Amino acid sequence: MGNTNRLWNVVERKIPPTEAEINSALKTSGYEFVHITGNKIEYKKEGLRIDLGGFAKGYVADRFREFLSEKGIENGVILTMGGAICCVGKKHKTDEQYKVGIVNPFDKSSLLNTLKVTDMNVTTSGTSERYFEYEGVRYHHIMNPKTGMPLQNDIEQVTVICYDAAIG
């Protein structure tokens, strides 16, 4: 699950891992080797670790919304955590929707689009934030779990709009 992400560590790495390193990491990767019963986690393979990076911000956003709801706060709060934005209700004084800008990955000073949202989470992730380049190839943090390599396609960034942020 998280061993290939740790192996690549695109923030600190300067060259790609070897094929042998990738194959070794793949042997201790995979959600199917993690069993959760109640609040107990059991690993079916030695060396397996869980990488929370894929959903941790969303989980925090969902718990934040629950906390506010328990306190009777249903509007007027926005929480930003990197590429994750949690909009609670509508704007407090104006009762307007929140406007969330989607940054252009090729020009951080411009927006691709602006979304109007109410009581939603907006999360954007892409290949332009965490990566390194080696011999003309960009190696980013979005992994293909089957190959143990960064996903290779023409998609530069994706934005998900949803209520349950941990799932989105």
Side-chain angles (χ1 to χ4, degrees):
M1 286 182 79
N3 289 338
T4 53
N5 284 1
R6 273 193 295 284
L7 172 66
W8 279 90
N9 191 2
V10 297
V11 174
E12 296 178 9
R13 215 176 233 294
K14 303 297 181 220
I15 63 171
T18 66
E19 188 174 335
E21 289 173 313
I22 294 168
N23 289 335
S24 178
L26 283 171
K27 289 178 184 173
T28 56
S29 295
Y31 71 91
E32 64 273 19
F33 303 114
V34 177
H35 295 269
I36 301 173
T37 306
N39 63 356
K40 182 182 176 190
I41 298 174
E42 182 181 359
Y43 300 108
K44 297 293 186 180
K45 274 196 171 185
E46 187 72 30
L48 190 69
R49 299 290 177 264
I50 295 177
D51 182 347
L52 301 177
F55 71 94
K57 289 179 191 175
Y59 180 82
V60 169
D62 290 341
R63 299 301 70 79
F64 175 71
R65 181 189 309 280
E66 283 179 11
F67 172 79
L68 293 176
S69 180
E70 289 169 6
K71 302 295 181 193
I73 301 168
E74 302 288 337
N75 286 295
V77 180
I78 189 165
L79 171 69
T80 62
M81 300 174 287
I85 299 170
C86 175
C87 302
V88 179
K90 293 183 177 181
K91 291 182 180 179
H92 179 62
K93 299 203 182 224
T94 63
D95 202 37
E96 294 175 352
Q97 291 180 294
Y98 290 101
K99 292 180 187 174
V100 177
I102 307 301
V103 175
N104 182 339
F106 302 107
D107 176 8
K108 304 291 185 198
S109 66
S110 69
L111 299 177
L112 291 175
N113 202 346
T114 302
L115 307 172
K116 289 184 178 182
V117 296
T118 300
D119 215 21
M120 286 288 167
N121 296 286
V122 180
T123 303
T124 299
S125 189
T127 63
S128 65
E129 293 297 321
R130 294 191 312 242
Y131 68 92
F132 68 89
E133 290 188 12
Y134 180 75
E135 295 183 350
V137 177
R138 176 180 288 188
Y139 297 96
H140 53 79
H141 73 291
I142 302 171
M143 294 288 125
N144 180 333
K146 293 183 183 193
T147 65
M149 302 271 298
L151 188 62
Q152 297 298 317
N153 60 29
D154 294 333
I155 300 172
E156 294 292 335
Q157 127 180 329
V158 172
T159 297
V160 176
I161 306 161
C162 60
Y163 182 79
D164 294 316
I167 294 170

